[in-house]
Amino acid sequence: MPVMKARMLAGELYLADDPELVSGRAHAAALLEQYNATPDAARDERARLLHDLFGDVGDGVVVNPTFRCDYGYNISIGAGTFVNYGCVMLDVVPIRLGVACQLASGVQLLAATHPIDPEARRLGWEYGRPITVGDNVWLGGGVIVCPGVTIGADTVVGAGAVVTRDLPARVVAVGNPARVQREIEKQDRVTIPGT
């Protein structure tokens, strides 16, 4: 494996203008161009393109265009997850979405980051920290998840929140930065029609 790609995947400093990485982004961009132009009725074609783009895709995953990512192969999405319009995933390291997640419009999962050191940044060095979203998480419209964050299962993050730190399972979090407001409790249950 080329050195810069190995460094990127390990979460170490790397240079994104490395030819292997440029080629990987170009491959993803070509697949995304096809995906984002595919008619809604062409569901089999969309499913094929997602399988070609992502590292792992569960059954019944829906990703509404337009969608953007860097490489695609670092993204895994669990079965039954729904990703709405205009989502962005900067996947220089793994981004893992659990089963049955709901990502509203404009959600950004930003695993890529840059050194605070101005000289290293000026020279083009960057790195990443993995993002993990547990099963059955709901991210409201415009939520931004920062590098290195893990969100526990069944958690709800309110629209516009900026998640800079890990969130535990079964909580409601809102704000910038996102803060836990409360736990999800029995009174949050609703009556499901037909049950």
Side-chain angles (χ1 to χ4, degrees):
M1 179 182 303
V3 172
M4 286 299 162
K5 184 174 182 179
R7 292 181 64 91
M8 179 186 81
L9 294 175
E12 299 172 0
L13 288 171
Y14 71 93
L15 295 169
D17 63 357
D18 176 79
E20 175 78 12
L21 298 179
V22 170
S23 174
R25 288 192 307 276
H27 176 73
L31 289 172
L32 288 167
E33 187 175 301
Q34 292 175 55
Y35 185 83
N36 289 326
T38 303
D40 186 58
R43 293 176 192 245
D44 289 344
E45 177 66 4
R46 279 191 180 173
R48 183 192 66 75
L49 288 165
L50 286 182
H51 280 88
D52 289 349
L53 178 64
F54 294 150
D56 188 40
V57 184
D59 291 337
V61 167
V62 174
V63 178
N64 281 335
T66 57
F67 173 78
R68 298 282 182 223
C69 66
D70 283 324
Y71 298 95
Y73 55 75
N74 287 319
I75 298 171
S76 63
I77 301 182
T81 287
F82 176 80
V83 178
N84 214 340
Y85 306 107
C87 287
V88 174
M89 297 183 193
L90 300 186
D91 64 312
V92 302
V93 292
I95 294 177
R96 296 179 189 91
L97 298 176
V99 172
C101 292
Q102 303 286 319
L103 278 65
S105 298
V107 167
Q108 300 179 54
L109 305 180
L110 309 177
T113 191
H114 303 275
I116 293 174
D117 174 12
E119 185 60 25
R121 211 171 49 248
R122 185 176 299 109
L123 294 172
W125 291 97
E126 55 188 75
Y127 63 101
R129 294 289 178 256
I131 292 173
T132 302
V133 177
D135 292 345
N136 199 36
V137 167
W138 174 21
L139 302 179
V143 165
I144 297 173
V145 179
C146 292
V149 166
T150 296
I151 299 174
D154 298 321
T155 285
V156 175
V157 181
V162 178
V163 186
T164 60
R165 295 184 181 155
D166 292 354
L167 294 174
R170 298 187 57 78
V171 298
V172 175
V174 299
N176 180 4
R179 290 187 183 3
V180 173
Q181 299 301 301
R182 63 183 180 87
E183 293 182 357
I184 295 174
E185 299 173 350
K186 287 183 181 179
Q187 71 262 19
D188 292 310
R189 291 188 182 162
V190 297
T191 302
I192 300 169
T195 59

